[in-house]
Amino acid sequence: MIRIVTTGRLQRLEQDADRARARVREVQVQADTALGRHVHNAVELTARAEQAEAAASAARWDKDIAETEAKRLREQIGELEAVLERAEATTDEVGVLLSGAMKELSVSRQELLLKDIAVGRLREELEAEPVEGQSLTVLLHHGEPHTIYASREDAHADTATHGMPADHVWKLCDDRPASAFTWRCEAFIYNAASNGFRRLHMPAPKQIEGAA
């Protein structure tokens, strides 16, 4: 079926494509931020662990002071272990976030590609000009134009929209006028001289009573 594409529709599709590109950039920024946060936490934990090890190596005082320092270090190590557990959980969350972000990024890129393809096709349709011999099929309903198709096959394939079964068999029309048929297909051929489409089979002229 031939679709008439307006410039406004083309602009809306281009706007949709722009929004999809913006969403891709937004998802990429979120993924970069999450990864940066994870790296920062890992560096901070490493620094704290090194500080704890340095403190432990310096704890060679007398027994009471050493026990007190050892107790403090054990508490600090316990805190570090708790922090590491939270960091591991954060790493899992970051992994899930990154996985989801990559999936969304892939979907956004696919949508963007499809929109770009649609925009390109619409541009081609808008810029295309009819050529000599190009044909269109007009579906007539009781002799009145109803729908225009690129080919007769497209018109026949669209049978269901006309309230007929999908396996309906189209037959050649006789000499009765088009208005005598509920549905009828007529071929029109592009004529460059007139810059328009002309009916392939012109109806027989009606006789006027009294004419010689």
Side-chain angles (χ1 to χ4, degrees):
M1 180 184 296
I2 289 181
R3 300 172 56 189
I4 299 177
V5 181
T6 63
T7 302
R9 173 176 170 79
L10 178 59
Q11 291 176 347
R12 288 193 296 273
L13 285 174
E14 289 176 334
Q15 290 172 356
D16 290 343
D18 290 339
R19 285 193 290 270
R21 291 190 184 93
R23 180 57 181 161
V24 169
R25 291 192 293 269
E26 180 182 350
V27 171
Q28 187 65 55
V29 169
Q30 291 177 354
D32 291 343
T33 300
L35 182 59
R37 189 184 305 113
H38 171 65
V39 172
H40 174 75
N41 290 339
V43 171
E44 182 179 2
L45 288 173
T46 300
R48 292 180 64 179
E50 290 175 353
Q51 292 175 358
E53 290 176 359
S57 64
R60 293 187 179 90
W61 303 307
D62 57 53
K63 183 176 179 295
D64 293 338
I65 296 176
E67 288 179 352
T68 301
E69 185 65 17
K71 181 180 178 181
R72 186 184 67 80
L73 289 174
R74 281 194 294 271
E75 292 175 351
Q76 186 174 10
I77 290 173
E79 293 176 356
L80 285 173
E81 289 176 346
V83 171
L84 285 172
E85 290 178 358
R86 290 195 297 271
E88 290 177 355
T90 301
T91 301
D92 294 338
E93 293 176 0
V94 170
V96 172
L97 178 60
L98 286 175
S99 177
M102 292 305 296
K103 290 181 180 178
E104 186 173 354
L105 183 61
S106 177
V107 171
S108 298
R109 285 175 174 168
Q110 185 67 21
E111 291 178 353
L112 179 60
L113 176 60
L114 293 176
K115 289 184 183 296
D116 285 340
I117 293 174
V119 169
R121 288 178 177 173
L122 289 175
R123 280 205 186 100
E124 291 177 359
E125 291 180 11
L126 287 175
E127 295 171 357
E129 296 182 356
V131 296
E132 182 74 26
Q134 178 181 347
S135 66
L136 294 175
T137 296
V138 177
L139 181 67
L140 304 178
H141 185 53
H142 294 296
E144 296 295 329
H146 182 274
T147 309
I148 301 175
Y149 297 89
S151 67
R152 185 178 297 270
E153 290 74 18
D154 290 340
H156 292 176
D158 199 31
T159 297
T161 63
H162 313 315
M164 292 183 290
D167 58 353
H168 175 74
V169 179
W170 293 76
K171 300 178 181 179
L172 293 176
C173 297
D174 51 32
D175 294 334
R176 287 179 295 168
S179 59
F181 298 90
T182 304
W183 296 103
R184 177 170 176 165
C185 290
E186 287 284 355
F188 285 73
I189 305 297
Y190 179 72
N191 182 271
S194 63
N195 193 26
F197 287 83
R198 291 183 176 178
R199 193 177 241 172
L200 180 61
H201 301 291
M202 298 298 294
K206 296 181 179 178
Q207 283 190 339
I208 301 176
E209 294 183 5

